[in-house]
Amino acid sequence: MGKVFKWMCFVLLAVIFIGTFMFLYQKSKPVVVEYEIYEASLADIEKSTIVTGKIEPRDEVSIKPQISGIIAELYKQAGDKVKKDEVIAKVKVIPDMSSLSSAENRVTLSEISFKQAQKDYERMERLYKEKVVSAEDFEKAEVTYKNSKAEVSNAKDALNIVRDGVSLSNARMSTTLIRSTIDGLILDIPVKVGNSVIYSNSFSEGTTVATVADMSKLIFKGNIDETEVGRIKENMPVEISVGAIQGLTMKGKLEYVSPKGVESNGANQFEIKSSIMLPDSVTLRSGYGANAIIVLDKVKNVLCVPEASLEFSGDSTYVYILTDSVPQQKFQKRYVKTGLSDGVRIQVLSRLRKGDKVRGIQLNKEE
């Protein structure tokens, strides 16, 4: 039994020794390193930037009341088309008691004055016919009578405006009727029947009753970083894509670059605006998220290599040229001068020719 045990230990030690030897042998063998090979070729390189923004109407107008009150009726809803001067809503006036009292007093006083002027006029008319008074005195009484009559009409009109918001002499232009100021589409009506509204003045912006926009004229609005704003200018071509409509790309032209930046998340952003050439078959909605591609620079038919093949040392840039591939890859270091890059490929300006093969990323790595 003891001999068997000894033999088993001997075999186990032999297995461990041989395994260790094979492991160390494999580790001591040199690893053949292989690299992906890229070929220098001619291509077009385009440097562009992507700006995130949204679609907005070029002309968007907030419709506000001309008088304070309560929304009595709504004749339109969001999504309806309207013409200029078409009525959107009606306001019921809640008169100011002080103004109402003053207007009523004005009517009372004007009626008293009118009655007196009327009596004076009738008396002067009889006396004039009897040739007791001169024509000049009669004419003065007639003018006073007519002025008093006009004042009664004006006072009643003013009372009606204060009380109901409607002019008796020009009911069509009533301030209680809220009208669209442009032709377009109603984007939003943020009020409901019964809501209080106020008119715009020097102390208040007023209540927005409706937002109307011309949806046939749209623009792209976004923000660009300060590191790239110096490379763009008005009239540069823009390609705009809308996330909500797959496959849609529209042409545009840069119209506006803000002269002042706004800090956002620690970086200065500059607002830009671009026109949009909208196809007739496409309907866009205000607020759609969109991306604008602006081409900053472009070169055609230039020698280029993938950026993954470049290596750097200080201010120097170099590549490794493939000189042999059998039995293993061999390379020669060569310094180059580079030009425009699109983030994937980069232009090579010197010391490289079309068809040269350069070293790329390592395919196998030593464990």
Side-chain angles (χ1 to χ4, degrees):
M1 188 66 181
K3 288 182 178 181
V4 174
F5 180 73
K6 288 180 180 180
W7 277 104
M8 289 178 63
C9 291
F10 176 77
V11 172
L12 181 60
L13 289 173
V15 171
I16 293 174
F17 175 77
I18 294 172
T20 303
F21 176 79
M22 293 299 296
F23 175 76
L24 294 175
Y25 174 75
Q26 290 294 331
K27 291 292 288 184
S28 65
K29 289 177 63 177
V31 178
V32 177
V33 179
E34 293 186 357
Y35 295 88
E36 188 171 352
I37 302 301
Y38 304 125
E39 184 174 322
S41 60
L42 298 177
D44 298 341
I45 297 181
E46 192 175 88
K47 173 69 173 178
S48 61
T49 184
I50 299 178
V51 180
T52 302
K54 59 183 178 179
I55 304 298
E56 292 186 359
R58 184 181 295 278
D59 300 314
E60 183 175 323
V61 178
S62 296
I63 308 299
K64 300 178 185 292
Q66 295 177 298
I67 194 168
S68 298
I70 294 174
I71 297 294
E73 294 182 67
L74 288 172
Y75 303 110
K76 300 289 182 180
Q77 61 182 356
D80 290 348
K81 292 183 178 181
V82 290
K83 296 290 185 180
K84 183 179 179 181
D85 293 331
E86 190 172 354
V87 178
I88 297 174
K90 182 178 181 180
V91 174
K92 178 182 178 182
V93 177
I94 304 300
D96 176 72
M97 297 310 296
S98 176
S99 300
L100 180 62
S101 178
S102 297
E104 290 174 341
N105 290 337
R106 179 183 173 187
V107 170
T108 301
L109 293 175
S110 63
E111 288 177 341
I112 293 173
S113 297
F114 171 69
K115 289 178 180 179
Q116 183 61 47
Q118 186 178 28
K119 291 179 180 179
D120 292 343
Y121 170 72
E122 291 173 351
R123 183 169 55 252
M124 292 297 291
E125 184 179 29
R126 289 194 304 271
L127 294 175
Y128 175 69
K129 288 179 179 180
E130 295 173 0
K131 297 184 179 182
V132 175
V133 296
S134 65
E136 182 179 0
D137 291 336
F138 172 68
E139 289 171 356
K140 287 181 180 179
E142 185 180 22
V143 169
T144 302
Y145 166 71
K146 291 180 178 180
N147 287 341
S148 299
K149 186 176 181 180
E151 173 59 19
V152 171
S153 177
N154 292 336
K156 289 181 178 180
D157 198 36
L159 173 61
N160 213 64
I161 291 175
V162 171
R163 185 179 56 208
D164 302 322
V166 180
S167 171
L168 297 174
S169 60
N170 195 356
R172 184 180 178 279
M173 298 308 295
S174 167
T175 55
T176 62
L177 298 178
I178 303 173
R179 304 172 184 271
S180 176
T181 56
I182 61 170
D183 294 346
L185 182 75
I186 297 178
L187 301 182
D188 186 29
I189 297 183
V191 297
K192 297 179 180 180
V193 173
N195 286 164
S196 297
V197 294
I198 58 174
Y199 69 96
S200 177
N201 53 48
S202 56
F203 303 102
S204 172
E205 294 182 354
T207 306
T208 298
V209 174
T211 303
V212 181
D214 182 356
M215 295 301 291
S216 65
K217 299 176 182 177
L218 301 175
I219 62 171
F220 168 85
K221 183 186 291 186
N223 294 296
I224 189 170
D225 191 81
E226 63 178 338
T227 58
E228 295 179 323
V229 71
R231 305 179 67 179
I232 64 173
K233 58 184 178 181
E234 283 82 359
N235 296 319
M236 292 182 72
V238 178
E239 285 191 358
I240 300 165
S241 59
V242 179
I245 305 177
Q246 296 296 325
L248 174 64
T249 301
M250 300 170 290
K251 301 292 184 180
K253 186 178 291 185
L254 195 61
E255 293 184 342
Y256 170 79
V257 181
S258 174
K260 181 181 179 181
V262 178
E263 186 174 345
S264 177
N265 297 323
N268 283 335
Q269 300 285 318
F270 291 80
E271 184 182 65
I272 65 168
K273 296 178 183 178
S274 169
S275 63
I276 298 176
M277 298 178 187
L278 184 66
D280 294 336
S281 59
V282 176
T283 299
L284 296 183
R285 299 180 184 275
S286 177
Y288 267 163
N291 292 326
I293 301 176
I294 305 174
V295 178
L296 303 177
D297 201 355
K298 184 176 183 179
V299 289
K300 294 186 176 182
N301 200 35
V302 295
L303 188 66
C304 60
V305 295
E307 282 202 8
S309 65
L310 295 182
E311 298 192 27
F312 304 92
S313 177
D315 295 333
S316 301
T317 305
Y318 57 90
V319 296
Y320 283 97
I321 304 293
L322 180 68
T323 58
D324 197 357
S325 58
V326 180
Q328 64 182 46
Q329 295 173 333
K330 294 181 181 179
F331 301 94
Q332 179 185 10
K333 185 176 181 179
R334 184 176 298 178
Y335 288 92
V336 294
K337 185 178 180 181
T338 59
L340 188 65
S341 169
D342 62 5
V344 177
R345 296 173 300 177
I346 188 167
Q347 179 185 10
V348 179
L349 300 174
S350 65
R351 305 199 67 192
L352 206 61
R353 295 176 298 178
K354 180 183 177 182
D356 284 345
K357 293 179 172 54
V358 296
R359 188 174 81 180
I361 61 174
Q362 186 175 331
L363 295 176
N364 58 335
K365 296 184 179 180
E366 186 179 359
E367 297 296 335

